[in-house]
Amino acid sequence: MYPPSRKDFISLTLSDPHGPSYNNGKHRRQSCWRKWKQLSRLQRSLVLFLLALLLIFGLLTYPSVTQQWRGWSDREDLLELNDRDVTDLPRGVKSILDDAAGKAPPPAAGPHVRPAVEPDAAAGAVVEPKGPNVPILPKPPIKKKNSPNKRGPPSLQKDGNTSDTVRAEKQVQEVVQEEVAGEEEDKDKKIVSWRGAMIEADQATEPPPSAIVGDAAPPPGPANPADTVPPEVPTGTVDRLEAVCDAFRHAWKGYKDYAWGHDELRPISRSFGEWFGLGLTLIDSLDTMWILGLKEEFAEARDWVEKELSFDKNVDVNLFETTIRVLGGLLSTFHLTGDRLFLEKAKDLGSRLMPAFKTPSKIPFSDVNIGKGTAHPPRWTSDSTLAEVTSIQLEFRELSRLTQDPQYQEVVNEVMKLVHKLPGKQDGLVPMFINTNTGQFTHKGVFTLGARADSYYEYLLKQWIQGGKTEDDLLEDYLQAVDGVRKHLVRQTGPSKLTFVGELSHSRFNPKMDHLVCFLPGTLALGAHNGLPGDHMDLAVQLMETCHQMYKQMETGLSPEIVHFNLQANDGNDVVVKPADRHNLLRPETVESLFYMYRFTKDTKYRDWGWEILQSFNNYTKVPGGGYTSINNVRDPLNPGPRDKMESFFLGETLKYFYLLFSDDPELLSLDNWRSVFCTHVYSRVWKMSSQNTKVFR
């Protein structure tokens, strides 16, 4: 018997002499029961089965849904808080309120993903976390693998170093987290500049790297908090060293599994990013693996360098980045191991970078095609960044010494001679840009020790040490610069008298300090250790404390990219962090300076500060399954906002300096018995160069 049609059902309802409104409920119940009884036994069983499944699914999902709504309710409560009303603050710091104008709303969150950036009113108030400090990492999108055998050690793939742009562009996937969350308020004015700092668009001289994203692996299972938050580690020296090795192994595992032979790991999506296609992370990590004694990992990486690394490819590379990451990585590894494979690769690369110096002014172009032998400036300007053209000298000079070929040192020395006598400086401080056609400074009147100028000052000292302390022009420029910094850029905060280095723009002081500036305490200490004035060390001690506070006063224990300092004595907050500056890129500058300060003073507080930073990296940037990620918001311990990118310098230097800081062996890269040669403030190298075999070409 077939169930009644919709027409029959309507007729039955309307046939009631009392009308549909009189006995509507009765007719509805009778008709529904009649329809149910008219179903076959199989149909009724199927309906009951589906209802049971829906009930079970609802019971299973109830906790996560209610937890999500409860989290949003908590956030709404936070919006009503004022930071002056908060009394229970983590880390013993005061809450900091930022400007509320122009802040981006939080993105919509699914049932298992918190918003990438907290509402700024909530972020401005410091509140004790309601749960463990575990970053909730989003699941990567499911994407079908096109070539399942493209990851792993060299034995499993033939073309691990090949950069196939056409194929890779088809593999581009959307990253779950926004690359620059919280920076919408200035998106029309600002761009991501060199080394990740924010600059005004009209000052930009090169675009941000456009990484090519590779295939993603299948999505991971639910994050296990035990994989994210490490267990308590005893504070003994041996345990701290092992903790650094564990961190490296975890980061290396992610790179090996998902980005082998490529430039950078994207640990959240379990894929890779390609910049130049030269295996940047692998080469940048070679000397760290050797220092940490990770023989198995080093052997695999060496095998890749021998069999897969080739510079004979039609690709534009950035002169500065390639020099400090690849050329510097190869040279430092050669010094540590004595393996001529790395020297031969370095010589090949060095010769391919030389066309960059063929300019009217001898100031090198920013970009060079290592396959075609051509070079050019950025597309929209003929300017080069001053830090870039004056932070390649150590590598090129060392390449000349090792190969007995003076051409490499001659071209970089010519740059330093030109900058030495250029007008436009102010008490040793230099502008940020220089024109490759005229050889003159541009954007004059703007002085900073942050992005685009920082490593110029660092390299003045280190070139002087590298050359046996014989090049007086370098020493003169360095000493004048330190005096200029003291005179124009050094200030103290009003509340706690923290000493910091600000910026100068056309005689107007700006109390802004990049995290990059935290190279300065270590550089000042290194100079004082090599016979320069003792008050340099006094300034280093004060600035080291400030860099430490940039970490300590953040809720995650990690420093933001940029901070602003308060000069007013009537306000209790020393540090102000704007929404666009809250990201952390796993940078090494502070850890490097802590290493110098401990080596020269033996004050254990510098080790303790470093240990706190390492624990914070593990708590908020460690990704289950392998790798560490940059984060968007150091002020939000509940949702730091992973960026899905592990910079090569985290392995190449940050972890290396943690290990050197915690080591009790003074002969491990001794700063007395080894000539210290550092590639840059971001990619430091320590090369064994005794004074007996050091020759500087003139």
Side-chain angles (χ1 to χ4, degrees):
M1 178 177 179
Y2 294 97
S5 66
R6 176 176 176 83
K7 180 178 179 180
D8 295 334
F9 178 77
I10 296 175
S11 299
L12 287 172
T13 304
L14 294 177
S15 65
D16 191 330
H18 299 284
S21 61
Y22 176 78
N23 210 10
N24 184 47
K26 179 180 178 180
H27 281 292
R28 187 175 301 161
R29 287 192 298 271
Q30 290 176 351
S31 62
C32 290
W33 176 248
R34 187 181 302 111
K35 290 177 66 175
W36 172 257
K37 294 187 67 175
Q38 289 173 351
L39 295 176
S40 67
R41 180 176 299 176
L42 178 61
Q43 289 174 324
R44 284 181 288 183
S45 299
L46 181 60
V47 171
L48 292 174
F49 177 73
L50 291 175
L51 289 174
L53 281 181
L54 288 174
L55 178 62
I56 295 173
F57 179 77
L59 292 175
L60 290 176
T61 58
Y62 175 76
S64 62
V65 173
T66 56
Q67 182 180 8
Q68 177 67 20
W69 284 104
R70 189 182 302 116
W72 276 107
S73 177
D74 292 341
R75 283 172 171 76
E76 292 172 357
D77 294 339
L78 289 177
L79 292 175
E80 300 177 359
L81 291 178
N82 185 292
D83 71 324
R84 300 184 183 275
D85 298 329
V86 180
T87 57
D88 187 15
L89 302 180
R91 303 182 178 274
V93 300
K94 298 177 180 179
S95 119
I96 301 166
L97 281 177
D98 298 312
D99 297 335
K103 296 182 178 176
H112 300 290
V113 183
R114 292 194 179 101
V117 179
E118 295 286 6
D120 287 320
V126 183
V127 180
E128 188 70 20
K130 298 182 182 298
N133 293 338
V134 182
I136 296 184
L137 304 177
K139 296 181 181 180
I142 299 176
K143 187 175 180 68
K144 182 179 179 181
K145 286 197 245 183
N146 294 328
S147 51
N149 294 325
K150 293 299 292 180
R151 298 189 180 93
S155 59
L156 299 181
Q157 61 168 300
K158 183 177 181 181
D159 56 345
N161 187 49
T162 302
S163 176
D164 189 343
T165 304
V166 177
R167 175 176 54 83
E169 286 179 348
K170 295 180 181 178
Q171 299 170 343
V172 174
Q173 65 177 17
E174 290 293 325
V175 177
V176 177
Q177 294 291 337
E178 284 293 333
E179 190 67 15
V180 189
E183 299 179 10
E184 288 85 347
E185 63 170 343
D186 293 324
K187 66 181 179 181
D188 294 328
K189 296 173 50 180
K190 296 186 176 183
I191 63 170
V192 179
S193 78
W194 170 75
R195 313 295 302 151
M198 298 300 299
I199 64 165
E200 297 297 328
D202 61 354
Q203 292 182 354
T205 61
E206 60 182 40
S210 56
I212 301 173
V213 182
D215 287 341
N224 182 1
D227 294 334
T228 306
V229 181
E232 287 292 329
V233 181
T235 57
T237 300
V238 175
D239 294 319
R240 289 183 175 184
L241 291 177
E242 187 58 33
V244 178
C245 291
D246 288 343
F248 186 96
R249 292 188 190 100
H250 185 80
W252 187 253
K253 179 184 184 300
Y255 178 76
K256 179 179 175 181
D257 289 347
Y258 310 117
W260 183 260
H262 297 284
D263 286 341
E264 293 171 332
L265 167 68
R266 294 184 177 272
I268 305 298
S269 57
R270 296 188 174 183
S271 59
F272 60 85
E274 206 74 285
W275 195 356
F276 308 133
L278 299 179
L280 297 183
T281 295
L282 188 148
I283 298 176
D284 218 4
S285 307
L286 286 167
D287 59 348
T288 304
M289 286 184 279
W290 185 267
I291 292 170
L292 271 57
L294 303 177
K295 297 180 180 179
E296 180 179 345
E297 292 84 352
F298 181 87
E300 282 187 326
R302 184 201 180 279
D303 188 57
W304 182 88
V305 171
E306 180 179 25
K307 298 177 180 178
E308 304 293 341
L309 179 60
S310 172
F311 302 120
D312 187 15
K313 56 197 330 180
N314 179 16
V315 59
D316 280 1
V317 303
N318 180 270
L319 172 66
F320 167 72
E321 298 286 358
T322 304
T323 298
I324 61 179
R325 299 187 193 226
V326 184
L327 182 60
L330 293 169
L331 289 174
S332 60
T333 306
F334 168 70
H335 275 293
L336 291 169
T337 66
D339 190 337
R340 293 193 64 85
L341 165 68
F342 301 106
L343 178 58
E344 293 303 318
K345 293 289 186 180
K347 183 179 178 181
D348 181 22
L349 177 60
S351 64
R352 294 174 182 272
L353 295 175
M354 288 295 286
F357 296 90
K358 295 179 180 179
T359 68
S361 66
K362 299 183 180 179
I363 297 297
F365 287 130
S366 63
D367 299 285
V368 57
N369 189 300
I370 56 176
K372 293 182 177 180
T374 58
H376 59 87
R379 292 187 300 272
W380 58 87
T381 180
S382 57
D383 286 351
S384 285
T385 300
L386 185 73
E388 291 184 326
V389 302
T390 58
S391 302
I392 54 179
Q393 279 67 20
L394 295 177
E395 295 86 349
F396 275 79
R397 284 156 56 111
E398 181 62 7
L399 185 59
S400 279
R401 188 187 74 83
L402 293 172
T403 62
Q404 295 297 299
D405 185 347
Q407 65 169 326
Y408 307 110
Q409 177 161 326
E410 288 173 352
V411 292
V412 295
N413 277 1
E414 193 66 31
V415 175
M416 298 307 299
K417 292 177 182 177
L418 178 61
V419 173
H420 172 71
K421 60 186 180 183
L422 272 183
K425 299 180 184 178
Q426 184 168 340
D427 296 323
L429 303 179
V430 294
M432 295 188 294
F433 301 102
I434 190 168
N435 190 274
T436 54
N437 292 323
T438 66
Q440 300 295 312
F441 291 132
T442 61
H443 298 83
K444 295 181 181 179
V446 179
F447 304 102
T448 176
L449 263 69
R452 299 181 176 269
D454 49 353
S455 49
Y456 160 76
Y457 303 99
E458 178 185 1
Y459 265 49
L460 288 174
L461 174 68
K462 292 173 180 176
Q463 286 180 80
W464 177 68
I465 297 174
Q466 181 191 34
K469 305 179 184 179
T470 61
E471 297 163 279
D472 295 337
D473 287 350
L474 296 171
L475 178 60
E476 177 186 345
D477 288 345
Y478 177 74
L479 293 175
Q480 286 183 358
V482 174
D483 290 341
V485 169
R486 287 181 176 277
K487 180 179 180 181
H488 299 289
L489 304 183
V490 172
R491 296 286 191 280
Q492 285 189 333
T493 62
S496 302
K497 304 302 179 185
L498 293 178
T499 300
F500 69 94
V501 177
E503 298 181 351
L504 200 64
S505 179
H506 305 290
S507 301
R508 182 178 180 180
F509 182 77
N510 183 7
K512 165 184 173 288
M513 179 170 160
D514 295 0
H515 181 273
L516 292 169
V517 182
C518 287
F519 83 91
L520 188 57
T523 299
L524 290 169
L526 180 63
H529 183 71
N530 280 273
L532 300 187
D535 59 359
H536 286 200
M537 178 59 84
D538 297 335
L539 180 58
V541 171
Q542 297 171 26
L543 292 175
M544 192 75 261
E545 171 66 31
T546 301
C547 291
H548 168 56
Q549 290 298 325
M550 289 166 62
Y551 283 79
K552 185 177 179 62
Q553 294 192 23
M554 298 300 108
E555 289 78 357
T556 60
L558 295 173
S559 172
E561 180 72 3
I562 299 172
V563 300
H564 289 74
F565 291 97
N566 180 19
L567 300 176
Q568 305 301 317
N570 59 353
D571 192 328
N573 300 322
D574 289 285
V575 180
V576 176
V577 186
K578 296 184 178 181
D581 303 330
R582 293 175 178 174
H583 49 289
N584 180 284
L585 304 181
L586 312 174
R587 290 196 186 276
E589 289 79 21
T590 294
V591 185
E592 176 186 359
S593 287
L594 288 172
F595 161 59
Y596 286 130
M597 297 300 291
Y598 176 74
R599 279 288 180 96
F600 296 142
T601 68
K602 301 301 180 184
D603 191 333
T604 57
K605 72 179 181 183
Y606 298 121
R607 279 183 163 179
D608 295 337
W609 293 353
W611 180 242
E612 292 172 1
I613 295 173
L614 179 60
Q615 289 179 307
S616 294
F617 277 133
N618 280 328
N619 287 340
Y620 297 104
T621 71
K622 188 176 183 180
V623 179
Y628 288 73
T629 180
S630 305
I631 60 174
N632 278 320
N633 194 348
V634 298
R635 308 230 55 189
D636 186 356
L638 294 177
N639 180 31
R643 285 190 158 195
D644 196 22
K645 184 175 183 180
M646 184 177 75
E647 300 281 358
S648 74
F649 50 71
F650 181 69
L651 288 166
E653 189 177 353
T654 305
L655 292 179
K656 175 171 62 184
Y657 276 105
F658 274 127
Y659 191 87
L660 294 174
L661 171 64
F662 299 143
S663 173
D664 280 331
D665 183 3
E667 297 304 312
L668 180 61
L669 303 186
S670 170
L671 299 179
D672 293 316
N673 300 328
W674 294 55
R675 187 175 302 280
S676 302
V677 181
F678 300 84
C679 288
T680 180
H681 64 285
V682 177
Y683 304 95
S684 292
R685 311 288 177 189
V686 187
W687 298 340
K688 187 174 182 180
M689 294 168 53
S690 65
S691 57
Q692 290 79 10
N693 64 10
T694 299
K695 177 180 179 181
V696 178
F697 290 91
R698 302 191 183 284

